[in-house]
Amino acid sequence: MSDTATKVNPAEQKHAFQAEVAKLLDLVVHSLYSNTEIFLRELISNSSDACDRLRYAAIAEPKLVEDGGSTFEIHLDIDKTLKTLTVTDNGVGMSRDELIANLGTIAKSGTSEFLKSLSGDKTKDISQIGQFGVGFYSSFMVADKVEVTSRKAGDTNGHLWTSDGKGTFTVADAPDTARGTKIVLHIKKDAEDFLDPHRLRRIVKTYSDHIAIPVILDPIAGEKDAKVETLNSASALWMRPKAEITAEQYKEFYHHVGHAFDEPWHTLHFKAEGAIEYTALLFVPSTKPFDLFNPERKTNVKLYVNRVFISDSLEGLMPRYLRFVRGIVDSSDLPLNVSREILQDNPLLKKIQNGIVKRLLKDIKERVEKTEEYTKFWDALGAVFKEGLYEDFERRDDLLELARFRTSGADGWVSLKDYVGRMKSGQDAIYYITGDDAGVLKNSPQLEGFAAKGIEVLLLTDPIDEFWTGGGVTYDKKSFKAVVQSGEDLDKIKGADEPEKKEDKGAAAEQAEKDLVEALKKTLGDSVADVRVTNRLTGSPVVLASDTGGMSLHLARMLKQHGENAGLGVKKILEINPKHALIKRLMTMSGASFDDAAFLLLDQARIVEGEPVTDPAAFAKRLSAALERALG
Ligand code: ADP
Ligand code: MG
């Protein structure tokens, strides 16, 4: 397989790399990446995936492997004269269009955000790329020219892709190409040690030993005692006994199977026996995967049936809120000869899901007390994990135990157990507020009354928080209540240094409050749904609230940002603080100055809440008038 000459149809086409790729390549090539040897891991990983995919396709369509064989192999060839290293597989191959799409663009979601996050500082950027992974493009770390010849299984003609990694590549016809993919790397001067078989042997052993397909070093032309040599163990790692697998091997497998580049936060490897048998090897990442918030919310556990790869992301194997989990499940109890769609509905699949989720949550629970480790997990993945509170009704209680929250009463992550332990006498609900930023929420006037009594409030800032909190969830028999709708509760809860009995306001004061509410309602008209007195405030004169059971102000804003009309209809209520000097003063005012003050207070409440002022010109006019009166 060491012949690198390929018959080429001169009708070749030149293409430019997608801008993102060009940028990545530039970074890869022009920096001294300390770990260049990982290019081989990437190429072998791709070849292994290509073989897995063809093996699966051939179950339904056996003629796909008639030419080129059904024994899958990856070959490495060294040519010391031409200074080339060639990686060949007889996997599924690529068509012309696939060559252009796969090796000219980056389909990986999150790429552009990733590239935007690069600082421009080369050393920093390169270490970040190490986390992101450049896959095939890492070839250009060691080669100044790369030729990829490929023929897709089932096609008659192959194609040749060529590039020096400098902005463009060409694609031409290559008629006499074997099925699969051959990648010829023209090794750079300073990378010639990759032509040394000892070096290759070590690299494959280190990074690719777990690959289930044999990686074979072909005899080197002109060398004596040349023999074919298989460099890896070539057996499925997950079938080996745990005691024989090193942490390093687990990690490399995680990198391959998860297309990941970090340390796994947790590794779970077990064999289930009994009613249904399967082996699972699962990893929880330690950093946030790039595609975590993609709208498809695809899961990432691969399904194998009897060592045959079936699917990357079978619906039903993993719940979506655990989509950060990488790894494989292999079962011999599932049927091989059915489509993915039929497999999806197989009741055994649900059983497997139950089994793996149970084990996984048990493992996570075991690490919950190790605060520093657990914080790492929650920082990276908590926002997704919490989706389970909304989606996984059966396990909600377990998930609530594992969930952590920012609160107004502490700096780090707080468990509900700790929260409940600190509840005040007379408090029977868990209070929360939703918004975009915990720091802003902590200082929100909405919390004033709670802060005055020392009542802790959960500060919820993830989109999903708007949803699970609305579902009648309870923890330790306590319900979750939005502070915006809990003003009345404050009377029942006793703060630390509060007098036992509250003094009576007196009938006259109460009448004055009532009159003011009526006057404000009349003045503000349709701008608010209601006006009412609240005792949630201590320092601020006014605050906005939404109606009990209605949509929260934060959710309404979120929907509006996404162009959803549903967000427009939320009823806003102006709450006033009768103890505040401004409000007391308002009770004595009338006429134009009263009207100006009423609207200014409403706008102030909007601003504090993060809502836009609806009529900026009117706002400015009223503010000027009020200032004039005050200064004049
Ligand atoms: P990733 O493997 O993370 O998708 P790569 O840059 O390594 O990213 O590869 C890009 C794509 O090119 C792969 O997803 C695959 O579709 C295709 N590809 C790469 N190498 C091969 C190969 N040897 N055989 C078939 N397809 C390949
Ligand atoms: Mg790859």
Side-chain angles (χ1 to χ4, degrees):
M1 290 208 192
S2 68
D3 121 78
T4 59
T6 314
K7 255 198 236 163
V8 176
N9 181 323
E12 61 171 35
Q13 270 182 2
K14 197 163 172 171
H15 299 262
F17 284 113
Q18 181 194 25
E20 274 98 339
V21 178
K23 192 167 168 192
L24 264 191
L25 279 171
D26 186 58
L27 267 169
V28 166
V29 177
H30 291 107
S31 41
L32 300 165
Y33 188 49
S34 60
N35 206 14
T36 50
E37 63 189 24
I38 60 109
F39 82 91
L40 192 57
R41 161 186 84 187
E42 295 303 314
L43 296 185
I44 290 174
S45 174
N46 285 347
S47 287
S48 154
D49 286 347
C51 294
D52 269 353
R53 270 184 280 149
L54 179 55
R55 200 199 313 258
Y56 174 69
I59 299 169
E61 216 179 324
K63 68 176 192 319
L64 285 178
V65 287
E66 264 169 21
D67 121 60
S70 58
T71 309
F72 294 97
E73 287 176 355
I74 300 167
H75 285 260
L76 305 182
D77 292 279
I78 296 170
D79 188 322
K80 292 197 166 167
T81 324
L82 294 172
K83 305 222 184 303
T84 57
L85 171 64
T86 304
V87 182
T88 312
D89 65 65
N90 57 346
V92 72
M94 283 174 275
S95 66
R96 182 185 201 103
D97 289 347
E98 285 167 338
L99 277 169
I100 294 169
N102 295 340
L103 310 185
T105 62
I106 306 181
K108 212 178 286 172
S109 50
T111 307
S112 33
E113 291 93 274
F114 167 75
L115 283 165
K116 265 186 234 136
S117 78
L118 293 179
S119 61
D121 169 348
K122 285 234 158 106
T123 19
K124 247 202 230 148
D125 288 351
I126 281 300
S127 77
Q128 257 193 292
I129 284 184
Q131 284 196 9
F132 179 71
V134 284
F136 166 78
Y137 302 111
S138 61
S139 319
F140 289 98
M141 295 192 296
V142 300
D144 42 28
K145 181 177 165 193
V146 178
E147 292 164 293
V148 182
T149 334
S150 194
R151 176 159 69 81
K152 194 180 165 95
D155 286 0
T156 34
N157 285 316
H159 299 92
L160 168 66
W161 178 104
T162 313
S163 180
D164 59 5
K166 296 194 179 104
T168 60
F169 60 91
T170 58
V171 181
D173 292 345
D176 300 324
T177 299
R179 182 196 81 212
T181 302
K182 180 172 82 177
I183 301 183
V184 182
L185 306 168
H186 294 263
I187 298 294
K188 286 181 185 172
K189 255 217 133 26
D190 61 4
E192 282 180 11
D193 52 334
F194 291 116
L195 299 172
D196 172 5
H198 300 297
R199 180 90 199 262
L200 295 189
R201 211 171 276 136
R202 250 186 312 116
I203 301 175
V204 172
K205 210 63 202 162
T206 308
Y207 298 110
S208 310
D209 192 56
H210 58 78
I211 296 283
I213 290 161
V215 178
I216 297 164
L217 181 62
D218 286 333
I220 300 176
E223 293 206 345
K224 267 204 265 156
D225 311 325
K227 58 176 185 346
V228 173
E229 185 187 350
T230 301
L231 302 183
N232 63 337
S233 307
S235 70
L237 182 87
W238 60 88
M239 298 311 286
R240 296 186 214 163
K242 271 167 92 160
E244 288 171 23
I245 307 173
T246 64
E248 204 50 40
Q249 285 173 320
Y250 274 129
K251 186 176 100 180
E252 285 310 329
F253 182 75
Y254 163 60
H255 287 175
H256 164 66
V257 77
H259 294 250
F261 298 87
D262 57 339
E263 292 279 332
W265 181 81
H266 190 74
T267 302
L268 168 62
H269 185 189
F270 71 96
K271 194 171 161 97
E273 271 153 352
I276 169 157
E277 291 189 6
Y278 60 90
T279 298
L281 174 49
L282 305 171
F283 303 90
V284 176
S286 58
T287 58
K288 192 179 281 182
F290 287 91
D291 56 358
L292 213 49
F293 290 102
N294 274 7
E296 318 94 80
R297 301 162 74 229
K298 258 172 55 179
T299 56
N300 286 288
V301 173
K302 296 190 183 192
L303 180 69
Y304 283 73
V305 172
N306 248 336
R307 249 83 70 230
V308 175
F309 167 76
I310 304 293
S311 173
D312 272 329
S313 166
L314 194 73
E315 192 115 7
L317 182 58
M318 260 325 229
R320 290 184 196 277
Y321 69 94
L322 294 176
R323 62 187 176 277
F324 52 80
V325 176
R326 284 4 191 196
I328 65 98
V329 170
D330 188 347
S331 175
S332 39
D333 288 347
L334 290 170
L336 199 53
N337 287 305
V338 297
S339 72
R340 290 190 181 102
E341 288 68 32
I342 290 177
L343 199 55
Q344 230 152 262
D345 297 331
N346 191 307
L348 291 183
L349 203 64
K350 183 73 196 162
K351 290 217 168 87
I352 296 179
Q353 187 197 99
N354 275 330
I356 55 184
V357 173
K358 204 165 125 198
R359 285 292 293 257
L360 205 61
L361 293 184
K362 181 169 154 279
D363 274 23
I364 295 177
K365 206 167 197 163
E366 274 166 19
R367 299 182 62 177
V368 86
E369 296 303 336
K370 296 179 186 132
T371 311
E372 205 174 307
E373 282 180 25
Y374 195 69
T375 295
K376 225 176 147 187
F377 165 73
W378 196 260
D379 276 340
L381 306 166
V384 171
F385 192 76
K386 256 193 303 182
E387 291 174 15
L389 295 175
Y390 183 65
E391 287 173 4
D392 195 345
F393 186 74
E394 275 167 54
R395 294 192 189 82
R396 198 187 263 167
D397 289 342
D398 288 329
L399 300 179
L400 281 170
E401 289 291 346
L402 296 173
R404 292 293 177 271
F405 302 91
R406 299 279 176 215
T407 78
S408 60
D411 281 334
W413 292 112
V414 173
S415 68
L416 290 175
K417 194 165 157 224
D418 288 346
Y419 178 97
V420 169
R422 294 197 282 259
M423 276 171 47
K424 293 281 176 269
S425 114
Q427 178 182 354
D428 53 17
I430 297 168
Y431 294 107
Y432 69 87
I433 181 167
T434 56
D436 295 327
D437 180 279
V440 172
L441 288 179
K442 208 168 178 163
N443 296 318
S444 162
Q446 306 275 11
L447 300 192
E448 283 175 4
F450 292 81
K453 295 200 176 210
I455 302 165
E456 194 169 11
V457 174
L458 307 183
L459 311 172
L460 305 181
T461 54
D462 292 308
I464 191 68
D465 292 327
E466 290 289 351
F467 299 95
W468 68 263
T469 47
V473 188
T474 57
Y475 173 82
D476 193 15
K477 302 208 180 70
K478 289 155 186 83
S479 59
F480 289 76
K481 264 180 109 171
V483 294
V484 191
Q485 291 156 2
S486 308
E488 277 139 40
D489 292 15
L490 284 173
D491 287 340
K492 299 181 297 183
I493 305 169
K494 196 179 136 337
D497 41 36
E498 241 182 326
E500 269 313 321
K501 257 219 138 80
K502 291 204 180 80
E503 43 195 291
D504 231 340
K505 272 186 203 164
E510 236 169 81
Q511 190 54 49
E513 283 174 18
K514 268 195 198 136
D515 292 345
L516 177 61
V517 165
E518 284 315 311
L520 284 171
K521 273 192 208 170
K522 215 170 133 212
T523 302
L524 297 174
D526 284 346
S527 303
V528 291
D530 199 3
V531 177
R532 66 189 179 209
V533 170
T534 186
N535 51 5
R536 278 197 300 135
L537 297 173
T538 56
S540 304
V542 288
V543 73
L544 280 185
S546 63
D547 216 357
T548 316
M551 196 185 286
S552 85
L553 299 172
H554 177 242
L555 177 58
R557 273 199 301 283
M558 270 174 27
L559 292 175
K560 217 164 129 187
Q561 273 163 17
H562 286 87
E564 303 267 354
N565 287 331
L568 297 172
V570 66
K571 298 247 184 201
K572 281 168 200 153
I573 297 161
L574 184 71
E575 295 190 335
I576 58 170
N577 172 7
K579 289 179 294 255
H580 197 279
L582 257 178
I583 301 298
K584 285 195 170 133
R585 178 86 179 75
L586 209 55
M587 292 174 183
T588 66
M589 284 161 64
S590 61
S593 48
F594 177 88
D595 292 356
D596 280 352
F599 278 103
L600 280 172
L601 283 170
L602 174 59
D603 279 335
Q604 177 185 333
R606 284 182 178 135
I607 291 169
V608 169
E609 199 52 38
E611 303 266 332
V613 167
T614 34
D615 186 348
F619 169 72
K621 219 160 121 192
R622 285 188 196 111
L623 188 59
S624 301
L627 277 174
E628 239 168 69
R629 277 193 294 272
L631 299 175

